[in-house]
Amino acid sequence: MAQKTVNPTRMELSRLSKQLATAKRGHKLLKDKQDELMRQFIELIKKNDRLRKEVEEQLQRAMKAFRLANATINEKYIEEMFILPATEVSLELSTKNIMSVEVPVMHFDYDDTVMQAPIEYGFLNSNVPLDNAVARFTDVMPKLLELTEIEKTCQLMAGEIERTRRRVNALEYLTIPELEEAIYGIKMRLEENERANVTRMIKVKNKSK
């Protein structure tokens, strides 16, 4: 490690000592932040994994039902059934602060009655697999929207964890050791100067006798 070039004075020693104290406080705060971010991040990852598995399983069942319906109903009839949207979904996006990380909060607004009566279409050309597919796609929508919010939050928190980790490491392995080394060097020089002054005074005193 390259040693900092500093003036070996008591004023410089005082200045560097204050910097070191500030760096150590900053390191502790950042380390505490990093630990808390990691704790919340792990909780979110676990929740994200559980929710993703649920969503994937529901989507697989829905797609299986839809493929069966598609195989038993003319594709033209299916397009006619769903040519018009059954409901509108609006998104209101806000943010909340998690350990200085601005994460999205997504408020989805849609007609709740669509959950009980998802899509209105004629049953003449419909069948049970298609009805099951529509019901399952409708049921999975709230979880899919929630999964979107959680995954974006995890992405933002992961970026902040990495930035915090780099700052913690910079303080721990660069800034603090350099300051400690500079302070040690100044103290050694000051002690040498004091010993030299004492020796000089003794010589002067002996010459004056």
Side-chain angles (χ1 to χ4, degrees):
M1 184 184 301
Q3 188 171 358
K4 293 172 67 71
T5 303
V6 294
N7 295 323
T9 62
R10 295 194 179 279
M11 183 178 295
E12 185 69 7
L13 177 63
S14 176
R15 185 182 70 83
L16 292 179
S17 297
K18 290 178 181 178
Q19 285 188 8
L20 179 60
T22 301
K24 287 184 175 180
R25 284 197 301 270
H27 176 268
K28 183 181 184 307
L29 290 173
L30 285 172
K31 191 68 170 62
D32 290 344
K33 176 184 176 180
Q34 182 184 15
D35 293 342
E36 179 61 19
L37 279 171
M38 282 299 302
R39 186 189 67 79
Q40 295 193 35
F41 180 73
I42 290 172
E43 290 181 0
L44 274 175
I45 287 295
K46 290 179 180 178
K47 182 177 180 181
N48 182 79
D49 287 344
R50 289 194 301 268
L51 190 57
R52 173 169 281 278
K53 288 178 181 177
E54 292 176 11
V55 168
E56 288 178 349
E57 289 174 359
Q58 288 184 258
L59 286 175
Q60 286 175 0
R61 290 195 293 268
M63 287 302 298
K64 183 177 180 181
F66 184 77
R67 284 195 299 269
L68 181 59
N70 195 42
T72 55
I73 301 178
N74 190 301
E75 186 176 344
K76 180 179 66 175
Y77 291 145
I78 295 179
E79 290 179 359
E80 291 177 354
M81 290 176 193
F82 303 108
I83 194 169
L84 295 176
T87 187
E88 291 184 356
V89 178
S90 61
L91 168 64
E92 179 184 348
L93 184 63
S94 59
T95 60
K96 66 179 179 180
N97 190 291
I98 300 180
M99 301 296 293
S100 76
V101 184
E102 293 293 326
V103 301
V105 178
M106 301 179 184
H107 302 280
F108 297 97
D109 185 22
Y110 53 87
D111 187 359
D112 290 338
T113 59
V114 76
M115 305 306 292
Q116 286 75 39
I119 298 179
E120 295 181 0
Y121 56 87
F123 291 92
L124 180 62
N125 295 314
S126 178
N127 61 12
V128 173
L130 181 60
D131 296 340
N132 289 339
V134 171
R136 286 170 176 169
F137 277 122
T138 302
D139 289 341
V140 78
M141 184 173 67
K143 290 183 179 179
L144 187 59
L145 300 178
E146 182 183 0
L147 182 63
T148 302
E149 177 182 319
I150 292 175
E151 290 196 342
K152 185 60 179 178
T153 299
C154 288
Q155 179 185 354
L156 292 171
M157 290 187 70
E160 183 64 19
I161 288 170
E162 177 59 22
R163 285 189 292 272
T164 304
R165 184 190 65 81
R166 287 198 298 264
R167 294 172 66 188
V168 168
N169 288 344
L171 285 170
E172 184 172 347
Y173 298 110
L174 292 175
T175 305
I176 291 176
E178 286 181 355
L179 287 170
E180 288 177 338
E181 185 178 4
I183 289 172
Y184 177 79
I186 291 176
K187 287 181 177 179
M188 292 298 99
R189 290 290 301 275
L190 290 175
E191 289 178 4
E192 288 177 6
N193 291 340
E194 288 179 1
R195 285 195 296 270
N197 288 335
V198 170
T199 302
R200 188 165 47 250
M201 290 177 62
I202 292 174
K203 288 181 179 179
V204 171
K205 184 176 181 181
N206 290 336
K207 286 182 179 181
S208 62
K209 288 183 179 179

mmCIF file of all heavy atoms in Angstrom, residues 102-127:
data_model
loop_
_atom_site.group_PDB
_atom_site.id
_atom_site.type_symbol
_atom_site.label_atom_id
_atom_site.label_comp_id
_atom_site.label_asym_id
_atom_site.label_seq_id
_atom_site.Cartn_x
_atom_site.Cartn_y
_atom_site.Cartn_z
ATOM 1 N N GLU A 102 -35.481 3.793 -3.471
ATOM 2 C CA GLU A 102 -36.824 4.093 -3.938
ATOM 3 C C GLU A 102 -37.330 2.920 -4.768
ATOM 4 O O GLU A 102 -36.846 2.670 -5.872
ATOM 5 C CB GLU A 102 -36.826 5.383 -4.770
ATOM 6 C CG GLU A 102 -36.518 6.641 -3.980
ATOM 7 C CD GLU A 102 -37.607 6.985 -2.978
ATOM 8 O OE1 GLU A 102 -38.797 6.720 -3.276
ATOM 9 O OE2 GLU A 102 -37.273 7.512 -1.897
ATOM 10 N N VAL A 103 -38.287 2.182 -4.223
ATOM 11 C CA VAL A 103 -38.822 1.019 -4.921
ATOM 12 C C VAL A 103 -40.259 1.300 -5.351
ATOM 13 O O VAL A 103 -40.955 2.100 -4.726
ATOM 14 C CB VAL A 103 -38.765 -0.239 -4.027
ATOM 15 C CG1 VAL A 103 -37.328 -0.527 -3.605
ATOM 16 C CG2 VAL A 103 -39.650 -0.073 -2.798
ATOM 17 N N PRO A 104 -40.711 0.652 -6.422
ATOM 18 C CA PRO A 104 -42.049 0.953 -6.932
ATOM 19 C C PRO A 104 -43.145 0.322 -6.090
ATOM 20 O O PRO A 104 -42.985 -0.763 -5.530
ATOM 21 C CB PRO A 104 -42.014 0.338 -8.341
ATOM 22 C CG PRO A 104 -41.048 -0.787 -8.224
ATOM 23 C CD PRO A 104 -39.991 -0.320 -7.251
ATOM 24 N N VAL A 105 -44.251 1.018 -6.008
ATOM 25 C CA VAL A 105 -45.479 0.481 -5.435
ATOM 26 C C VAL A 105 -46.531 0.592 -6.530
ATOM 27 O O VAL A 105 -46.870 1.690 -6.963
ATOM 28 C CB VAL A 105 -45.925 1.259 -4.184
ATOM 29 C CG1 VAL A 105 -47.235 0.687 -3.648
ATOM 30 C CG2 VAL A 105 -44.849 1.211 -3.111
ATOM 31 N N MET A 106 -46.997 -0.537 -6.984
ATOM 32 C CA MET A 106 -47.920 -0.564 -8.116
ATOM 33 C C MET A 106 -49.336 -0.801 -7.618
ATOM 34 O O MET A 106 -49.615 -1.815 -6.982
ATOM 35 C CB MET A 106 -47.511 -1.652 -9.111
ATOM 36 C CG MET A 106 -46.114 -1.475 -9.677
ATOM 37 S SD MET A 106 -45.656 -2.801 -10.818
ATOM 38 C CE MET A 106 -43.949 -2.338 -11.195
ATOM 39 N N HIS A 107 -50.199 0.145 -7.910
ATOM 40 C CA HIS A 107 -51.607 0.021 -7.551
ATOM 41 C C HIS A 107 -52.385 -0.288 -8.825
ATOM 42 O O HIS A 107 -52.511 0.560 -9.704
ATOM 43 C CB HIS A 107 -52.129 1.311 -6.912
ATOM 44 C CG HIS A 107 -51.368 1.723 -5.691
ATOM 45 N ND1 HIS A 107 -51.575 1.157 -4.448
ATOM 46 C CD2 HIS A 107 -50.377 2.638 -5.519
ATOM 47 C CE1 HIS A 107 -50.756 1.708 -3.573
ATOM 48 N NE2 HIS A 107 -50.012 2.609 -4.194
ATOM 49 N N PHE A 108 -52.888 -1.521 -8.914
ATOM 50 C CA PHE A 108 -53.638 -1.936 -10.084
ATOM 51 C C PHE A 108 -55.125 -1.791 -9.798
ATOM 52 O O PHE A 108 -55.610 -2.231 -8.762
ATOM 53 C CB PHE A 108 -53.305 -3.386 -10.444
ATOM 54 C CG PHE A 108 -51.865 -3.591 -10.817
ATOM 55 C CD1 PHE A 108 -50.948 -4.050 -9.872
ATOM 56 C CD2 PHE A 108 -51.422 -3.314 -12.085
ATOM 57 C CE1 PHE A 108 -49.621 -4.237 -10.213
ATOM 58 C CE2 PHE A 108 -50.089 -3.503 -12.432
ATOM 59 C CZ PHE A 108 -49.202 -3.958 -11.497
ATOM 60 N N ASP A 109 -55.817 -1.174 -10.714
ATOM 61 C CA ASP A 109 -57.246 -0.961 -10.549
ATOM 62 C C ASP A 109 -57.971 -1.672 -11.688
ATOM 63 O O ASP A 109 -57.736 -1.376 -12.866
ATOM 64 C CB ASP A 109 -57.568 0.538 -10.573
ATOM 65 C CG ASP A 109 -59.037 0.793 -10.280
ATOM 66 O OD1 ASP A 109 -59.682 -0.078 -9.673
ATOM 67 O OD2 ASP A 109 -59.544 1.862 -10.695
ATOM 68 N N TYR A 110 -58.810 -2.614 -11.321
ATOM 69 C CA TYR A 110 -59.606 -3.307 -12.325
ATOM 70 C C TYR A 110 -60.923 -3.709 -11.677
ATOM 71 O O TYR A 110 -61.052 -3.753 -10.448
ATOM 72 C CB TYR A 110 -58.876 -4.534 -12.884
ATOM 73 C CG TYR A 110 -58.377 -5.494 -11.847
ATOM 74 C CD1 TYR A 110 -59.181 -6.512 -11.358
ATOM 75 C CD2 TYR A 110 -57.080 -5.373 -11.335
ATOM 76 C CE1 TYR A 110 -58.723 -7.385 -10.396
ATOM 77 C CE2 TYR A 110 -56.622 -6.252 -10.372
ATOM 78 C CZ TYR A 110 -57.442 -7.259 -9.901
ATOM 79 O OH TYR A 110 -56.985 -8.107 -8.941
ATOM 80 N N ASP A 111 -61.868 -4.030 -12.503
ATOM 81 C CA ASP A 111 -63.201 -4.365 -12.031
ATOM 82 C C ASP A 111 -63.171 -5.698 -11.294
ATOM 83 O O ASP A 111 -62.871 -6.737 -11.881
ATOM 84 C CB ASP A 111 -64.155 -4.441 -13.236
ATOM 85 C CG ASP A 111 -65.601 -4.608 -12.796
ATOM 86 O OD1 ASP A 111 -65.845 -4.675 -11.574
ATOM 87 O OD2 ASP A 111 -66.480 -4.685 -13.675
ATOM 88 N N ASP A 112 -63.474 -5.662 -9.994
ATOM 89 C CA ASP A 112 -63.431 -6.898 -9.206
ATOM 90 C C ASP A 112 -64.448 -7.926 -9.681
ATOM 91 O O ASP A 112 -64.269 -9.128 -9.460
ATOM 92 C CB ASP A 112 -63.680 -6.587 -7.725
ATOM 93 C CG ASP A 112 -62.505 -5.845 -7.102
ATOM 94 O OD1 ASP A 112 -61.394 -5.951 -7.645
ATOM 95 O OD2 ASP A 112 -62.709 -5.162 -6.082
ATOM 96 N N THR A 113 -65.515 -7.459 -10.306
ATOM 97 C CA THR A 113 -66.532 -8.418 -10.748
ATOM 98 C C THR A 113 -66.004 -9.340 -11.828
ATOM 99 O O THR A 113 -66.553 -10.417 -12.057
ATOM 100 C CB THR A 113 -67.762 -7.674 -11.289
ATOM 101 O OG1 THR A 113 -67.369 -6.839 -12.398
ATOM 102 C CG2 THR A 113 -68.392 -6.810 -10.219
ATOM 103 N N VAL A 114 -64.907 -8.922 -12.488
ATOM 104 C CA VAL A 114 -64.338 -9.779 -13.519
ATOM 105 C C VAL A 114 -63.803 -11.077 -12.914
ATOM 106 O O VAL A 114 -63.663 -12.092 -13.593
ATOM 107 C CB VAL A 114 -63.212 -9.059 -14.279
ATOM 108 C CG1 VAL A 114 -61.944 -8.998 -13.437
ATOM 109 C CG2 VAL A 114 -62.905 -9.751 -15.606
ATOM 110 N N MET A 115 -63.527 -11.065 -11.609
ATOM 111 C CA MET A 115 -63.031 -12.273 -10.961
ATOM 112 C C MET A 115 -64.156 -13.300 -10.799
ATOM 113 O O MET A 115 -63.912 -14.499 -10.790
ATOM 114 C CB MET A 115 -62.440 -11.935 -9.588
ATOM 115 C CG MET A 115 -61.360 -10.855 -9.630
ATOM 116 S SD MET A 115 -60.024 -11.220 -10.773
ATOM 117 C CE MET A 115 -59.274 -12.623 -9.961
ATOM 118 N N GLN A 116 -65.401 -12.807 -10.651
ATOM 119 C CA GLN A 116 -66.526 -13.730 -10.525
ATOM 120 C C GLN A 116 -67.105 -14.114 -11.899
ATOM 121 O O GLN A 116 -67.503 -15.238 -12.125
ATOM 122 C CB GLN A 116 -67.646 -13.117 -9.669
ATOM 123 C CG GLN A 116 -67.335 -13.084 -8.178
ATOM 124 C CD GLN A 116 -66.343 -12.008 -7.817
ATOM 125 O OE1 GLN A 116 -66.399 -10.915 -8.376
ATOM 126 N NE2 GLN A 116 -65.441 -12.299 -6.895
ATOM 127 N N ALA A 117 -67.109 -13.139 -12.805
ATOM 128 C CA ALA A 117 -67.604 -13.399 -14.166
ATOM 129 C C ALA A 117 -66.568 -12.871 -15.135
ATOM 130 O O ALA A 117 -66.712 -11.777 -15.683
ATOM 131 C CB ALA A 117 -68.951 -12.715 -14.387
ATOM 132 N N PRO A 118 -65.475 -13.580 -15.336
ATOM 133 C CA PRO A 118 -64.302 -13.060 -16.038
ATOM 134 C C PRO A 118 -64.576 -12.454 -17.390
ATOM 135 O O PRO A 118 -64.272 -11.317 -17.632
ATOM 136 C CB PRO A 118 -63.400 -14.295 -16.160
ATOM 137 C CG PRO A 118 -63.861 -15.224 -15.105
ATOM 138 C CD PRO A 118 -65.314 -14.985 -14.960
ATOM 139 N N ILE A 119 -65.148 -13.219 -18.276
ATOM 140 C CA ILE A 119 -65.320 -12.737 -19.648
ATOM 141 C C ILE A 119 -66.685 -13.178 -20.149
ATOM 142 O O ILE A 119 -67.081 -14.330 -19.972
ATOM 143 C CB ILE A 119 -64.218 -13.287 -20.574
ATOM 144 C CG1 ILE A 119 -62.854 -12.800 -20.103
ATOM 145 C CG2 ILE A 119 -64.450 -12.892 -22.018
ATOM 146 C CD1 ILE A 119 -61.700 -13.312 -20.930
ATOM 147 N N GLU A 120 -67.387 -12.250 -20.756
ATOM 148 C CA GLU A 120 -68.686 -12.579 -21.316
ATOM 149 C C GLU A 120 -68.508 -12.970 -22.771
ATOM 150 O O GLU A 120 -68.049 -12.178 -23.590
ATOM 151 C CB GLU A 120 -69.627 -11.365 -21.202
ATOM 152 C CG GLU A 120 -69.937 -10.995 -19.753
ATOM 153 C CD GLU A 120 -70.890 -9.824 -19.666
ATOM 154 O OE1 GLU A 120 -71.284 -9.328 -20.741
ATOM 155 O OE2 GLU A 120 -71.233 -9.420 -18.557
ATOM 156 N N TYR A 121 -68.870 -14.190 -23.071
ATOM 157 C CA TYR A 121 -68.812 -14.641 -24.456
ATOM 158 C C TYR A 121 -69.861 -15.724 -24.638
ATOM 159 O O TYR A 121 -70.356 -16.314 -23.689
ATOM 160 C CB TYR A 121 -67.422 -15.171 -24.826
ATOM 161 C CG TYR A 121 -66.899 -16.278 -23.957
ATOM 162 C CD1 TYR A 121 -67.206 -17.608 -24.231
ATOM 163 C CD2 TYR A 121 -66.093 -15.999 -22.854
ATOM 164 C CE1 TYR A 121 -66.731 -18.627 -23.429
ATOM 165 C CE2 TYR A 121 -65.619 -17.027 -22.058
ATOM 166 C CZ TYR A 121 -65.940 -18.336 -22.351
ATOM 167 O OH TYR A 121 -65.465 -19.343 -21.563
ATOM 168 N N GLY A 122 -70.192 -15.946 -25.859
ATOM 169 C CA GLY A 122 -71.211 -16.942 -26.143
ATOM 170 C C GLY A 122 -70.701 -18.343 -25.865
ATOM 171 O O GLY A 122 -69.540 -18.663 -26.092
ATOM 172 N N PHE A 123 -71.584 -19.205 -25.352
ATOM 173 C CA PHE A 123 -71.179 -20.557 -24.994
ATOM 174 C C PHE A 123 -71.485 -21.563 -26.096
ATOM 175 O O PHE A 123 -71.228 -22.747 -25.937
ATOM 176 C CB PHE A 123 -71.883 -20.995 -23.700
ATOM 177 C CG PHE A 123 -71.396 -20.249 -22.492
ATOM 178 C CD1 PHE A 123 -72.026 -19.089 -22.074
ATOM 179 C CD2 PHE A 123 -70.297 -20.700 -21.783
ATOM 180 C CE1 PHE A 123 -71.572 -18.400 -20.967
ATOM 181 C CE2 PHE A 123 -69.837 -20.013 -20.671
ATOM 182 C CZ PHE A 123 -70.473 -18.852 -20.264
ATOM 183 N N LEU A 124 -72.027 -21.070 -27.204
ATOM 184 C CA LEU A 124 -72.382 -21.978 -28.285
ATOM 185 C C LEU A 124 -71.158 -22.695 -28.829
ATOM 186 O O LEU A 124 -71.171 -23.906 -29.072
ATOM 187 C CB LEU A 124 -73.073 -21.199 -29.419
ATOM 188 C CG LEU A 124 -73.495 -22.038 -30.636
ATOM 189 C CD1 LEU A 124 -74.507 -23.100 -30.222
ATOM 190 C CD2 LEU A 124 -74.060 -21.135 -31.731
ATOM 191 N N ASN A 125 -70.071 -21.933 -29.003
ATOM 192 C CA ASN A 125 -68.846 -22.506 -29.547
ATOM 193 C C ASN A 125 -67.783 -22.739 -28.474
ATOM 194 O O ASN A 125 -66.638 -22.995 -28.793
ATOM 195 C CB ASN A 125 -68.267 -21.585 -30.626
ATOM 196 C CG ASN A 125 -69.183 -21.493 -31.819
ATOM 197 O OD1 ASN A 125 -69.677 -22.501 -32.293
ATOM 198 N ND2 ASN A 125 -69.435 -20.273 -32.289
ATOM 199 N N SER A 126 -68.184 -22.592 -27.220
ATOM 200 C CA SER A 126 -67.243 -22.789 -26.126
ATOM 201 C C SER A 126 -67.301 -24.233 -25.631
ATOM 202 O O SER A 126 -68.131 -25.022 -26.064
ATOM 203 C CB SER A 126 -67.573 -21.826 -24.981
ATOM 204 O OG SER A 126 -66.698 -22.039 -23.896
ATOM 205 N N ASN A 127 -66.381 -24.560 -24.713
ATOM 206 C CA ASN A 127 -66.411 -25.867 -24.074
ATOM 207 C C ASN A 127 -65.740 -25.763 -22.709
ATOM 208 O O ASN A 127 -65.236 -24.697 -22.329
ATOM 209 C CB ASN A 127 -65.753 -26.936 -24.953
ATOM 210 C CG ASN A 127 -64.291 -26.628 -25.238
ATOM 211 O OD1 ASN A 127 -63.684 -25.756 -24.627
ATOM 212 N ND2 ASN A 127 -63.724 -27.353 -26.192
#
